[in-house]
């Protein structure tokens, strides 16, 4: 085991089912079954947070934490004709995205974000003009 610093903006921390914690490649989707990923992101534009795509994690909730700046997290309606819900995150706040809930981000200002979830099975879907 190494005791050197890990750049969280370049790598992720992976919390493995056997209790091991290790540096790993950051992934938006995929990942080892049962391994939680902690990843930090510095984002400056909507493209940096894939604002044009919905994301869903079928195996676990996700903690989305805004460390600096500000973002809007949009939840896709769960039923046809439903209303899109939006949560605004400012520095020092977070929200729990329920397992299986489609969501996407848009920036209010450049931000540093932290995400904690199981990435295995994550799905991405293009956003259409109608939410």
């Amino acid at each position: 085991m190494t005791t050197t610093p890990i750049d969280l903006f370049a790598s992720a921390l992976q919390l493995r089912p056997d209790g091991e914690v290790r540096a790993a490649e950051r992934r938006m989707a995929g990942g080892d079954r049962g391994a939680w990923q902690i990843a930090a992101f510095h984002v400056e534009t909507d493209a940096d947070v894939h604002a044009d795509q919905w994301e869903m994690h079928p195996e676990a909730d996700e903690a989305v934490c805004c460390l600096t700046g500000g973002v809007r997290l949009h939840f896709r309606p769960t039923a046809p004709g439903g209303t899109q819900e939006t949560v605004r995150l400012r520095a020092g706040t977070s929200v729990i995205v329920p397992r299986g809930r489609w969501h996407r981000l848009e920036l209010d200002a450049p931000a540093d974000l932290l995400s904690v979830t199981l990435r295995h099975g994550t799905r991405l879907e293009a956003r259409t003009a109608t939410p």
Side-chain angles (χ1 to χ4, degrees):
M1 174 173 286
T2 180
T3 56
T4 58
I6 299 165
D7 180 352
L8 289 179
F9 291 106
S11 299
L13 292 178
Q14 197 177 69
L15 308 176
R16 312 220 8 109
D18 63 2
E20 179 187 10
V21 178
R22 66 179 179 194
E25 177 185 350
R26 288 192 322 180
R27 297 180 179 185
M28 291 305 295
D32 298 342
R33 182 174 289 285
W36 287 78
Q37 177 179 270
I38 300 172
F41 304 90
H42 178 74
V43 293
E44 301 219 2
T45 69
D46 282 341
D48 294 335
V49 292
H50 61 82
D52 61 341
Q53 292 184 318
W54 292 102
E55 178 180 58
M56 187 269 289
H57 311 287
E59 296 189 11
D61 296 343
E62 177 183 23
V64 176
C65 310
C66 182
L67 304 176
T68 65
V71 298
R72 284 165 283 139
L73 194 135
H74 302 285
F75 292 96
R76 188 161 76 182
T78 56
T83 304
Q84 177 176 284
E85 180 184 355
T86 300
V87 175
R88 221 177 258 283
L89 296 178
R90 298 283 178 230
T93 64
S94 67
V95 67
I96 305 299
V97 177
R99 169 191 324 230
R101 186 74 192 267
W102 288 96
H103 60 284
R104 65 183 186 84
L105 291 170
E106 291 182 324
L107 293 185
D108 285 334
D112 290 321
L113 306 175
L114 186 74
S115 167
V116 181
T117 194
L118 285 170
R119 290 278 173 197
H120 186 267
T122 293
R123 293 175 46 200
L124 298 172
E125 186 177 284
R127 177 180 175 224
T128 59
T130 309

